[in-house]
């Protein structure tokens, strides 16, 4: 017959083994449950990412169609009507004997054709800013601000600290972002007395800012999808920000103006 101490030891041993088996079973259940939840979370994230990518693709298509519509309208309403008017004047000059006002009509034709040339250049610049390819982003922004100031809608200031130019594709994306931000500010910043554009490069960071002191707005709630909630202009900005692997930050409040900033990495060249 076993001694009491041996019986107690055996009970403790079997109890310990049972506890270890139970703990191992619980650990397996926990790991399986954790892996299942992790997989479900990954699937949700992938679905959200796929939806966001689809929204960005939709924004790209909408921006392209909107740009085509604008160009078509400019060609039809602007250059088309201008050239049609010039054609009528030329036909009048070419039909019948010279009129007493032939010189005046010829001068008018020259003036109209000069305006058409300016319209063509304006549309061409909106399609692809030649000054950007020739002189870089700083000069292109200066030209953009100068042209915008000619409208007289709102005085625009520009401050540039940009010692290390980026590749042309990235500069073009930043230019288009600034172009859209300026358009939005001029359109929506009611009551503004100033509009400032700043491009600064500090160490490994580059920041493009457009700020006004207008009416402001209520920013999107944290976690809201800008591409889904904003207008076509904001969605096109989001697409380019995504391309640059940058971040778009909004600071605004009703009556307190608006600051839009694009922040991105611009690593210093080695050596």
């Amino acid at each position: 017959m076993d001694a009491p101490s041996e019986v107690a030891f055996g009970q403790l041993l079997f109890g310990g083994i049972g506890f270890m088996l139970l703990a191992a079973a619980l650990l397996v259940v926990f790991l399986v449950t954790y892996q299942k939840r992790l997989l479900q979370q990954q699937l949700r994230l992938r679905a959200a990412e796929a939806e966001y990518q689809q929204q960005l693709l939709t924004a790209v298509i909408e921006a392209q169609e909107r740009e085509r519509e604008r160009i078509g309208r400019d060609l039809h309403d602007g250059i088309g009507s201008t050239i049609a008017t010039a054609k009528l004047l030329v036909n009048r000059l070419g039909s019948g004997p010279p009129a007493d006002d032939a010189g005046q009509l010829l001068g008018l034709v020259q003036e109209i054709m000069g305006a058409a040339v300016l319209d063509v250049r304006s549309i061409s610049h909106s399609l692809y800013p030649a000054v950007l390819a020739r002189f870089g982003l700083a000069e292109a922004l200066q030209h953009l601000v100068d042209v915008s100031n000619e409208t007289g809608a709102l005085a625009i200031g520009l401050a540039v600290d940009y010692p290390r130019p980026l590749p042309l594709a990235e500069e073009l994306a930043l230019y288009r972002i600034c172009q859209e931000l300026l358009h939005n500010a001029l359109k929506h910043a009611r009551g503004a007395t100033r509009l400032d554009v700043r491009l600064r490069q500090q160490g490994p960071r580059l920041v493009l800012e457009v700020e006004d002191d207008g009416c402001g707005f209520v920013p999107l709630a944290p976690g809201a999808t800008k591409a889904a909630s904003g207008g076509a202009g904001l969605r096109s900005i989001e697409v380019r920000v995504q391309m640059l692997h940058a971040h778009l930050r909004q600071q605004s409040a009703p009556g307190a103006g608006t600051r839009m900033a694009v922040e991105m990495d611009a690593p210093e060249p080695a050596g």
Side-chain angles (χ1 to χ4, degrees):
M1 188 171 179
D2 294 334
S5 60
E6 293 178 353
V7 172
F9 177 76
Q11 291 176 344
L12 288 174
L13 179 61
F14 286 117
I17 293 174
F19 176 78
M20 291 177 63
L21 291 175
L22 178 61
L26 291 174
L27 180 60
V28 170
V29 171
F30 171 77
L31 290 176
V32 170
T33 303
Y34 176 78
Q35 290 292 338
K36 186 177 180 180
R37 290 182 179 177
L38 183 62
L39 180 60
Q40 291 175 345
Q41 184 179 8
Q42 290 176 344
L43 291 175
R44 285 194 297 268
L45 288 175
R46 289 176 183 175
E49 183 178 357
E51 181 181 359
Y52 181 66
Q53 293 297 330
Q54 182 62 38
Q55 291 171 352
L56 291 180
L57 178 60
T58 302
V60 171
I61 295 173
E62 289 179 355
Q64 290 175 343
E65 292 301 321
R66 188 163 55 99
E67 187 68 9
R68 291 190 182 103
E69 180 183 356
R70 185 190 65 79
I71 293 170
R73 186 171 58 250
D74 289 345
L75 288 173
H76 180 271
D77 298 340
I79 298 175
S81 60
T82 300
I83 294 178
T85 302
K87 181 181 178 182
L88 290 175
L89 294 175
V90 170
N91 289 339
R92 181 177 171 183
L93 286 171
S95 61
D100 295 337
D101 59 349
Q104 182 179 357
L105 290 177
L106 181 59
L108 185 57
V109 169
Q110 291 175 337
E111 181 181 346
I112 290 175
M113 296 308 295
V117 169
L118 292 178
D119 288 342
V120 170
R121 288 178 178 173
S122 177
I123 293 175
S124 174
H125 181 78
S126 67
L127 288 174
Y128 187 81
V131 66
L132 176 67
R134 294 181 62 186
F135 302 109
L137 180 59
E139 289 296 327
L141 291 180
Q142 183 65 63
H143 180 74
L144 175 63
V145 168
D146 291 342
V147 171
S148 299
N149 277 328
E150 288 180 2
T151 65
L154 182 63
I156 304 173
L158 175 66
V160 175
D161 182 11
Y162 183 60
R164 299 184 309 278
L166 298 176
L168 180 59
E170 295 182 6
E171 288 196 338
L172 180 59
L174 286 169
Y175 176 86
R176 294 300 189 198
I177 290 172
C178 185
Q179 193 176 36
E180 191 65 45
L181 289 176
L182 277 180
H183 173 76
N184 288 346
L186 291 172
K187 183 177 180 180
H188 299 295
R190 296 185 301 275
T193 60
R194 64 175 180 84
L195 177 58
D196 296 314
V197 178
R198 292 183 290 270
L199 176 68
R200 67 178 187 273
Q201 205 171 29
Q202 297 177 340
R205 299 291 290 171
L206 183 142
V207 180
L208 172 67
E209 296 176 302
V210 176
E211 183 176 7
D212 66 73
D213 61 347
C215 59
F217 62 93
V218 178
L220 294 174
T225 304
K226 303 182 186 69
S229 305
L234 185 57
R235 290 198 298 271
S236 68
I237 291 172
E238 277 288 326
V239 171
R240 292 185 169 94
V241 168
Q242 178 91 355
M243 290 169 51
L244 292 169
H245 302 289
H247 301 282
L248 177 63
R249 306 194 186 279
Q250 305 180 37
Q251 294 180 0
S252 186
T258 301
R259 175 182 175 270
M260 305 289 284
V262 176
E263 302 176 2
M264 61 178 289
D265 292 326
E268 300 184 40

